[in-house]
Amino acid sequence: MLYGDETDRILVDKYIMYPMLLTIFNRDLKVIAVAPFKLKQPYVTLIENVMNAISYELRDIKKEMMKRKIKVTDGKPVDDITEYQIFIRGYQEVMRFPNVHLRNKAELLMKHFLFDTLIEHK
């Protein structure tokens, strides 16, 4: 990132990744709903709690981005890369992420949220 500092980069990264996580978890809830589990509710509750935590963090991220005058356009897929336009205090920048990188990062964040939720409830 050319025009932003490390905090800006972290905000942009989370702003891009968190909606992806919400989409993934939402799809997982639909799979669980039709899966032949004997006890579905614990899985549903866990995922819903994680989704709520992500939503609250995303709300705070959006507020902070408004304060810092940062805007991010929706990702535009180009072959095996997703491209985002970032506007930071009047400067424009393009960030490109390989889809494999986004998938791996989403998996790491999912583990982070799921395991932290499990540890908090012990």
Side-chain angles (χ1 to χ4, degrees), residues 5-18:
D5 59 16
E6 184 65 18
T7 304
D8 294 340
R9 189 197 63 74
I10 290 169
L11 285 170
V12 167
D13 192 49
K14 287 180 178 180
Y15 181 81
I16 290 169
M17 294 306 303
Y18 284 13

Side-chain angles (χ1 to χ4, degrees), residues 1-5 8-10 12-13 86 88 93 95:
M1 183 174 277
L2 297 172
Y3 302 108
D5 59 16
D8 294 340
R9 189 197 63 74
I10 290 169
V12 167
D13 192 49
I86 317 296
I88 300 176
E93 183 172 339
M95 292 180 74

Side-chain angles (χ1 to χ4, degrees), residues 57-71:
E57 279 195 45
L58 187 57
R59 182 198 63 203
D60 294 342
I61 289 165
K62 287 178 181 180
K63 284 181 184 177
E64 186 63 26
M65 286 176 64
M66 284 180 63
K67 284 182 195 172
R68 292 172 157 270
K69 298 179 183 171
I70 301 171
K71 291 184 181 181

Side-chain angles (χ1 to χ4, degrees), residues 17-102:
M17 294 306 303
Y18 284 13
M20 283 184 203
L21 292 178
L22 291 173
T23 300
I24 292 166
F25 281 125
N26 201 22
R27 287 181 186 165
D28 290 350
L29 279 176
K30 290 176 183 174
V31 170
I32 289 170
V34 297
F37 291 118
K38 287 187 179 190
L39 300 170
K40 294 178 187 182
Q41 196 55 44
Y43 300 106
V44 170
T45 302
L46 175 64
I47 292 175
E48 286 175 345
N49 287 341
V50 168
M51 289 176 70
N52 286 337
I54 293 170
S55 295
Y56 284 124
E57 279 195 45
L58 187 57
R59 182 198 63 203
D60 294 342
I61 289 165
K62 287 178 181 180
K63 284 181 184 177
E64 186 63 26
M65 286 176 64
M66 284 180 63
K67 284 182 195 172
R68 292 172 157 270
K69 298 179 183 171
I70 301 171
K71 291 184 181 181
V72 179
T73 62
D74 287 339
K76 183 176 86 177
V78 180
D79 295 325
D80 61 344
I81 292 175
T82 303
E83 184 176 280
Y84 294 88
Q85 287 191 345
I86 317 296
F87 299 91
I88 300 176
R89 294 175 283 284
Y91 294 98
Q92 180 181 355
E93 183 172 339
V94 175
M95 292 180 74
R96 293 175 183 89
F97 297 98
N99 293 335
V100 171
H101 170 75
L102 292 173

